[in-house]
Amino acid sequence: MADPKPNRPSPSRLLRALAGERLERPAWWLMRQAGRYLPEYRALRAKAGSFVEFCKSPALAAEATLQPVRRFGMDAAILFSDILLVAAALGQPLDYGDDGPQLAPLDPKDGLATLYRGSISALDPVYETVRLVRAALPPEVALIGFAGAPWTVATYMVEGRSSRDFIAIKTWAYSDPAGFGALIDLLVETTVAYLAGQIAAGADVVQLFDSWAGVLPEDEFARVVIAPTRAIVDRVKERFPSVPIIGFPRGAGLLYERYAAESGVDALSIDTMVPVGFARDRLASCLPLQGNLDPLALLVGGAALAEGVARIRAAFGDGAFVFNLGHGVLPQTPPEHVAALGRLLAAPSAGM
Amino acid sequence: MADPKPNRPSPSRLLRALAGERLERPAWWLMRQAGRYLPEYRALRAKAGSFVEFCKSPALAAEATLQPVRRFGMDAAILFSDILLVAAALGQPLDYGDDGPQLAPLDPKDGLATLYRGSISALDPVYETVRLVRAALPPEVALIGFAGAPWTVATYMVEGRSSRDFIAIKTWAYSDPAGFGALIDLLVETTVAYLAGQIAAGADVVQLFDSWAGVLPEDEFARVVIAPTRAIVDRVKERFPSVPIIGFPRGAGLLYERYAAESGVDALSIDTMVPVGFARDRLASCLPLQGNLDPLALLVGGAALAEGVARIRAAFGDGAFVFNLGHGVLPQTPPEHVAALGRLLAAPSAGM
């Protein structure tokens, strides 16, 4: 796909917000807006065996991507996929159990040599999903592609699963910075190709999810979160200079500001713990923001939802802003609460 | 115990640092400095059945408390105990499995009425442990008592175990703020009595561990972290005005500054993710700091340990400061790395 002409005004409210435009009502979408909380997703999911097979079945993944937009009218669809398809494409067997992803942990001594290098065709079904979704969406609904950032993907590759203390990966990173750096470099390469493939297939925006950015001291954060993100952004932008890249260093806390200044991303997704006052005063002046309702406020609904939405709109309503959660939709969320959120966002805010 | 005379100079390096004095070499102790990484602890632990029984056996718990100080010469001992003894004392059966604590989750509808109220004798063995330890320690080694802060203890009481998404407790807190507030109020009451009991038995310092402070948006953080901490501090200080209280809102990130300004604590324990530059410039001007080496740097040892220690001493060496980890010692830590840390801290810092 050729890079879109930057001078043509976009029909997409998401792209306008990410380009710095202030909208009367915020553009919105939700992380994990497709998925288990939707009965139509659960019915669709039953048509494939493993979760990985489901993600790699373009017709099924495309339908899962479209379901929430059809039901709730978000301003964007986000590709239904999983950040660990990259690990599988590099040669690590991947499975999903009740406790989340399971991989055979990569051995710091010789694991790197076992990974696949070169052009990766295992991700081709994802690009086909992107093509199917883009063809099905109206032009005013943006399609967001995504990848896990190298640090976060590496945590699963080295720990083998969700971790609490990150002992295996930090032991590797701290005791052998060069060897661990080679894994990060490989993930940078792969992620650049993966995002470029999604954009070429029709993604209008891409987001880098660094879900475990919040477990690192500053020096390591600079080395394995900011620097690889910067490398990915620079290289994707060589080919696609006008496709916005949203960064989400979840839990970065006191390091959000440095990430905003140094990572090169076009917009910043902020988690629930970022105070809105700080975000407005210190981050929104650098970059368009996206966030940051507590997924639990959406799950609970009612007054907690209405108050959370009002607080966020009051803080960010004056700038370029995309309404989202601070983390993904939880499977226990009643779909009618998402519909209520859509109605709240469609109404003029009390403060406007 | 009468409150110590404030004018007598303390022989304890920890108390001097917490009183704002700058020391040539930092005072030090480590969170979870007693425990499974020590072979002598594992031998001792085998002498009791359950972990709760062990914690409530004064002779065993006192010996566990003393072991690391004897081996490594820290400036303080910290009571060997567990933050959830309070939940057990309130009437919730408590057990420890391979995955950590297990409690029957408190029901938001009627669970509060089942909890014990009034004077709690179930915690008397802890006070006896404190007496035994204080009698065994030389005067220059301070004894630190502790409690979990109400929010963190409540997470275990309501979730029943370590949580990732905190769905049950946040659902309660968001949908029924008054009912949830009554649980927090009960925990404030109990914690005041518990800390006062430890101080009366001989604790020279107390620390409030708010291990899950980092999962809350700002308004909730103010309501269930800062306000209860302030209430506890105010009431403990009515009885023991010169006993320092250290606050540890782990993971508070961008909310550390507000906690430092509003919670009333005398000193602030900072986690690994707090950048040392920010801590020096924005927090150390308010309060003496304690922290914040990554426990993984201690586990890995060698250059990672030496560099981590040098960075922290260079940042904080000019002020009132207590060297510690940013979280607890991990069970996999080689004891010889703790000895190496002691030697590093005994040496003059390169920058001094």
Side-chain angles (χ1 to χ4, degrees):
Chain A
M1 188 182 92
D3 200 51
K5 289 195 182 62
N7 291 332
R8 188 169 46 178
S10 169
S12 153
R13 287 162 38 78
L14 179 74
L15 288 171
R16 286 162 59 198
L18 294 177
E21 189 176 334
R22 190 210 151 176
L23 304 175
E24 195 81 4
R25 294 171 296 106
W28 73 295
W29 66 280
L30 304 177
M31 292 187 271
R32 291 209 197 118
Q33 65 188 19
R36 280 187 284 163
Y37 77 105
L38 289 175
E40 60 267 37
Y41 169 82
R42 295 194 296 270
L44 186 71
R45 174 68 186 82
K47 296 185 181 174
S50 77
F51 181 67
V52 175
E53 280 168 43
F54 183 83
C55 290
K56 294 179 77 169
S57 303
L60 298 177
E63 173 59 16
T65 304
L66 293 165
Q67 283 174 343
V69 179
R70 208 180 280 138
R71 197 197 249 249
F72 304 115
M74 289 92 171
D75 293 300
I78 179 161
L79 169 68
F80 190 90
S81 183
D82 189 88
I83 63 167
L84 296 183
L85 293 191
V86 162
L90 287 169
Q92 265 191 301
L94 169 66
D95 203 0
Y96 281 79
D98 288 342
D99 289 337
Q102 310 274 346
L103 306 95
L106 202 67
D107 187 326
K109 275 194 284 296
D110 51 21
L112 208 52
T114 68
L115 296 180
Y116 185 76
R117 276 151 202 276
S119 172
I120 293 175
S121 57
L123 296 167
D124 288 351
V126 176
Y127 310 139
E128 179 58 19
T129 305
V130 171
R131 272 186 286 272
L132 292 175
V133 175
R134 187 60 275 177
L137 284 175
E140 67 273 17
V141 179
L143 174 54
I144 303 171
F146 73 91
W151 162 253
T152 288
V153 174
T155 64
Y156 291 98
M157 292 177 75
V158 178
E159 301 282 347
R161 49 177 293 169
S162 275
S163 176
R164 181 176 290 270
D165 293 318
F166 299 91
I167 292 179
I169 192 168
K170 283 187 167 186
T171 297
W172 187 3
Y174 289 12
S175 60
D176 175 21
F180 183 68
L183 173 61
I184 294 290
D185 289 346
L186 175 61
L187 286 168
V188 166
E189 291 292 322
T190 311
T191 307
V192 167
Y194 187 42
L195 292 177
Q198 293 180 45
I199 295 169
D204 305 295
V205 177
V206 292
Q207 176 154 329
L208 271 172
F209 285 87
D210 220 343
S211 309
W212 299 115
V215 302
L216 291 165
E218 182 170 19
D219 288 5
E220 287 298 317
F221 184 88
R223 188 162 28 239
V224 302
V225 170
I226 293 180
T229 300
R230 177 90 219 188
I232 291 167
V233 169
D234 286 348
R235 290 181 51 196
V236 170
K237 287 202 170 288
E238 280 172 19
R239 289 185 57 190
F240 303 101
S242 66
V243 172
I245 301 176
I246 305 169
F248 183 36
R250 187 168 70 90
L254 291 156
L255 294 164
Y256 253 107
E257 223 172 338
R258 184 164 174 189
Y259 181 97
E262 299 180 10
S263 70
V265 298
D266 298 293
L268 194 61
S269 201
I270 57 175
D271 64 59
T272 299
M273 277 63 79
V274 178
V276 292
F278 169 87
R280 182 192 57 222
D281 299 341
R282 306 290 289 271
L283 299 175
S285 49
C286 308
L287 290 174
L289 296 184
Q290 169 176 284
N292 73 339
L293 185 73
D294 192 335
L296 257 297
L298 183 63
L299 187 154
V300 167
L305 174 60
E307 285 161 21
V309 171
R311 189 161 52 232
I312 289 167
R313 290 187 72 177
F316 300 130
D318 282 340
F321 167 61
V322 176
F323 190 96
N324 206 318
L325 300 178
H327 196 181
V329 177
L330 290 160
Q332 300 87 338
T333 304
E336 51 272 32
H337 292 185
V338 178
L341 171 61
R343 287 192 298 272
L344 285 166
L345 292 171
S349 106
M352 289 172 86
Chain B
M1 189 181 92
D3 201 51
K5 289 195 180 63
N7 291 332
R8 187 168 46 178
S10 170
S12 154
R13 287 162 39 77
L14 179 74
L15 288 171
R16 285 162 58 199
L18 294 177
E21 189 176 335
R22 190 209 151 175
L23 304 175
E24 195 81 5
R25 294 170 295 106
W28 73 296
W29 66 281
L30 304 178
M31 291 187 271
R32 291 208 198 116
Q33 65 189 18
R36 280 187 283 163
Y37 77 106
L38 289 176
E40 60 267 37
Y41 170 82
R42 295 194 296 269
L44 186 71
R45 174 70 187 81
K47 295 185 182 174
S50 76
F51 182 67
V52 175
E53 280 169 43
F54 183 83
C55 290
K56 294 179 78 167
S57 303
L60 298 178
E63 173 60 16
T65 304
L66 293 165
Q67 283 174 342
V69 179
R70 207 180 280 137
R71 197 197 251 250
F72 303 115
M74 288 92 172
D75 293 301
I78 179 161
L79 170 67
F80 190 89
S81 184
D82 188 89
I83 62 167
L84 296 183
L85 292 192
V86 163
L90 287 170
Q92 265 191 301
L94 169 65
D95 203 0
Y96 281 79
D98 288 342
D99 288 337
Q102 311 273 347
L103 305 95
L106 202 67
D107 187 325
K109 275 193 284 295
D110 51 19
L112 207 52
T114 69
L115 296 179
Y116 186 75
R117 277 151 201 276
S119 171
I120 292 175
S121 57
L123 296 168
D124 288 351
V126 176
Y127 310 140
E128 179 58 19
T129 305
V130 171
R131 272 186 286 273
L132 292 175
V133 175
R134 187 58 275 176
L137 284 175
E140 67 271 18
V141 179
L143 174 54
I144 303 171
F146 72 91
W151 163 252
T152 289
V153 174
T155 64
Y156 291 98
M157 293 177 74
V158 178
E159 301 283 348
R161 49 177 293 169
S162 275
S163 176
R164 181 176 290 270
D165 293 317
F166 300 91
I167 291 179
I169 193 168
K170 283 186 168 186
T171 297
W172 187 2
Y174 289 12
S175 60
D176 175 21
F180 183 68
L183 172 62
I184 294 290
D185 289 346
L186 175 60
L187 286 167
V188 166
E189 291 292 321
T190 311
T191 307
V192 167
Y194 186 42
L195 292 177
Q198 294 180 44
I199 295 169
D204 305 296
V205 177
V206 292
Q207 177 155 328
L208 272 172
F209 286 86
D210 220 343
S211 309
W212 299 115
V215 303
L216 291 166
E218 182 170 18
D219 288 4
E220 287 298 317
F221 183 89
R223 188 163 25 241
V224 303
V225 170
I226 293 180
T229 299
R230 177 90 220 189
I232 291 168
V233 168
D234 287 348
R235 290 181 50 195
V236 170
K237 286 201 170 288
E238 279 172 20
R239 289 185 57 190
F240 303 101
S242 66
V243 172
I245 301 176
I246 305 169
F248 183 35
R250 187 168 71 89
L254 291 156
L255 294 163
Y256 253 107
E257 224 172 337
R258 184 164 174 189
Y259 181 97
E262 299 180 9
S263 70
V265 299
D266 298 292
L268 193 61
S269 201
I270 56 175
D271 64 58
T272 300
M273 277 63 80
V274 178
V276 292
F278 170 85
R280 182 192 57 222
D281 299 342
R282 305 290 290 271
L283 299 175
S285 50
C286 307
L287 290 175
L289 297 185
Q290 169 176 285
N292 73 340
L293 184 73
D294 192 336
L296 258 297
L298 182 64
L299 187 154
V300 167
L305 174 60
E307 285 162 20
V309 171
R311 188 161 54 233
I312 289 168
R313 290 187 72 177
F316 300 131
D318 281 340
F321 168 61
V322 176
F323 190 96
N324 206 318
L325 300 178
H327 196 181
V329 176
L330 290 160
Q332 300 87 338
T333 304
E336 52 271 31
H337 292 184
V338 179
L341 171 60
R343 287 192 298 273
L344 286 166
L345 292 172
S349 104
M352 290 173 83

